[in-house]
Amino acid sequence: MSESPVNLDELRNRIDAIDSEILRLISERAMCAQTVAQVKTADDPQAVFYRPEREAQVLRRIMALNTGPLDSEEMARLFREIMSACLALEQPVKVAYLGPEGTFTQQAALKHFGESAKSLPMAAIDEVFREVEAGAVNYGVVPVENSTEGVVNHTLDSFMDSSMKICGEVVLRIHHHLLVSSTTRQDKISRIYSHPQSFAQCRKWLDAHYPQAERVPVSSNAEAARLIKTEWHSAAIAGDMAAKLYGLDRIAEKIEDRPDNSTRFLIIGHEDVPMSGDDKTSLVVAMRNQPGALHDLLEPFHRHQIDMTRLETRPSRTGAWNYVFFIDFKGHVDQPEVAAMLEEVRVRSAEVKVLGSYPQGVL
Ligand SMILES: C=C(O[C@@H]1C=C(C(=O)O)C=C[C@H]1O)C(=O)O
């Protein structure tokens, strides 16, 4: 064998030295974060350590500074975990999510808060709201829209009855796999379990590959994964977390019909979040039932050049033909032009409820 041009031992010694340095710096950072916690509690013993706007700024700064060879998202993910561990030193963030364990919502919760957060599965979206409202957890994570299937009505409806604030958003690329257990007869699959949204997102693939199999809708992908453990003729459609949790094999990967399939989740909590420099705001607006109402509502957004990113209509539940609008736009309520626009919308509408201003999803 020819002599390698670089000396492996030398390189490994260098890596060891770099690791010692990284270790020292991470510990120094953790001590700094501990001091921040002391400063925060000195002012207010009930202070919440977690600051969504600051975390978004830290991650954005790292991504802007990064020059490779690791890509910026990968680098931000590493820093996400460092921050999560630093925060957990003081007080692990407790997060309720739409369960069961192994769902995409849990994946979204961990992506947003890092692996050191304590995540607790809830059986339904309104339970997530209730748990946050009761103060049993610091934050909640619920799905709100999918790029293929549209809005999660249950989440929007929950906001109408709740005083919870939106403190953040997280977008997750959703990859579905066809999963089987070690005892499944792969040539005899006659039944496939999944959540109705997942079936809808994989419809074409299923029509092409398993046209004869019975599609059985269940309450979550994780539940689908759990069920097939004992059925030799069944498969499940679910994501990586569920596959790992139940020790299942992927016989077909990334079977979603659209390669850009993603779901947006909202983080709900008690506090208003200060500006991070790149924020979004969500509103619910009830309009008076009169001609031109929608035009009147949209006109101030246009005039103040505010970028609306979403507009959804839902029945208001107060009268047979009254509607409310869920609106997302870029900007924060503390920005003067946003405040001016909101004032005009208030005058023109029956009711405006600001659900929250929060940092745009970073990762
Ligand atoms: C250290 C702070 O507290 C927490 C920890 C952070 C960090 O590790 O960088 C950032 C924001 C907070 O969630 C802070 O507010 O600066």
Side-chain angles (χ1 to χ4, degrees):
M1 243 170 77
S2 65
E3 187 67 19
S4 145
V6 280
N7 180 323
L8 207 52
D9 284 341
E10 218 170 86
L11 280 175
R12 285 181 175 160
N13 285 339
R14 240 161 75 195
I15 287 181
D16 283 345
I18 294 168
D19 284 350
S20 307
E21 193 69 355
I22 295 175
L23 173 67
R24 188 184 64 74
L25 290 171
I26 292 177
S27 304
E28 206 174 307
R29 189 191 193 285
M31 284 190 278
C32 244
Q34 276 182 311
T35 315
V36 171
Q38 283 162 15
V39 173
K40 284 179 186 169
T41 34
D43 290 346
D44 170 11
Q46 302 301 317
V48 207
F49 299 133
Y50 174 72
R51 293 290 357 140
E53 76 290 359
R54 170 69 184 153
E55 297 211 347
Q57 287 164 347
V58 170
L59 296 178
R60 285 181 198 140
R61 181 172 165 277
I62 290 297
M63 292 175 93
L65 283 175
N66 180 45
T67 53
L70 290 187
D71 82 34
S72 295
E73 273 210 15
E74 195 60 48
M75 196 55 111
R77 261 198 294 277
L78 294 174
F79 275 82
R80 159 72 285 151
E81 289 307 327
I82 294 176
M83 279 199 288
S84 180
C86 288
L87 192 68
L89 259 183
E90 292 315 308
Q91 178 196 65
V93 183
K94 273 206 268 176
V95 186
Y97 64 92
L98 176 65
E101 241 187 300
T103 51
F104 288 111
T105 315
Q106 184 183 26
Q107 203 176 322
L110 295 177
K111 182 180 177 190
H112 189 81
F113 290 98
E115 300 276 339
S116 302
K118 201 168 175 323
S119 62
L120 305 153
M122 298 294 134
I125 288 173
D126 32 309
E127 264 183 51
V128 176
F129 274 79
R130 274 203 298 275
E131 202 74 356
V132 182
E133 239 150 5
V137 293
N138 307 102
Y139 298 96
V141 183
V142 288
V144 68
E145 60 181 316
N146 176 270
S147 56
T148 319
E149 280 306 295
V151 69
V152 182
N153 287 325
H154 207 99
T155 294
L156 295 189
D157 290 345
S158 298
F159 276 112
M160 287 203 249
D161 308 323
S162 164
S163 59
M164 289 297 93
K165 302 277 167 55
I166 303 175
C167 327
E169 63 169 4
V170 47
V171 178
L172 198 68
R173 282 294 278 274
I174 302 289
H175 296 304
H176 291 299
H177 315 301
L178 189 69
L179 306 174
V180 294
S181 79
S182 52
T183 53
T184 309
R185 292 273 306 275
Q186 292 188 25
D187 54 337
K188 293 268 187 302
I189 293 172
S190 60
R191 182 184 289 168
I192 300 176
Y193 292 101
S194 198
H195 186 271
Q197 280 243 354
S198 310
F199 276 132
Q201 291 165 24
C202 305
R203 192 178 295 129
K204 282 194 204 137
W205 189 90
L206 281 171
D207 290 347
H209 294 86
Y210 288 89
Q212 312 297 348
E214 180 195 4
R215 297 175 200 177
V216 183
V218 290
S219 59
S220 72
N221 321 65
E223 173 64 7
R226 191 184 67 80
L227 282 169
I228 65 159
K229 286 296 282 183
T230 51
E231 293 186 18
W232 60 267
H233 59 103
S234 299
I237 295 176
D240 288 319
M241 276 204 111
K244 208 153 92 190
L245 184 67
Y246 293 103
L248 302 175
D249 297 323
R250 285 164 246 204
I251 51 169
E253 295 197 341
K254 299 187 180 172
I255 61 169
E256 59 277 4
D257 295 332
R258 294 177 49 139
D260 60 348
N261 185 33
S262 54
T263 296
R264 180 169 168 252
F265 299 84
L266 294 175
I267 315 298
I268 56 169
H270 291 272
E271 308 93 30
D272 289 316
V273 182
M275 280 195 274
S276 76
D278 186 9
D279 301 286
K280 257 187 185 173
T281 298
S282 300
L283 304 175
V284 194
V285 183
M287 291 304 285
R288 295 188 188 92
N289 220 345
Q290 62 194 31
L294 183 59
H295 176 267
D296 286 352
L297 166 65
L298 299 183
E299 195 274 332
F301 283 87
H302 176 68
R303 193 158 25 78
H304 290 274
Q305 297 197 317
I306 287 169
D307 185 4
M308 194 181 277
T309 54
R310 192 175 64 127
L311 174 67
E312 296 291 341
T313 313
R314 295 283 302 145
S316 80
R317 298 187 292 184
T318 55
W321 296 106
N322 287 327
Y323 288 92
V324 295
F325 299 98
F326 282 86
I327 298 172
D328 287 352
F329 61 88
K330 288 194 182 162
H332 191 286
V333 286
D334 290 346
Q335 285 168 245
E337 68 277 21
V338 171
M341 181 277 292
L342 277 179
E343 213 28 65
E344 289 178 35
V345 172
R346 268 185 225 283
V347 173
R348 293 164 185 228
S349 60
E351 200 189 331
V352 176
K353 185 167 158 191
V354 177
L355 300 179
S357 287
Y358 48 90
Q360 279 215 64
V362 182
L363 281 175

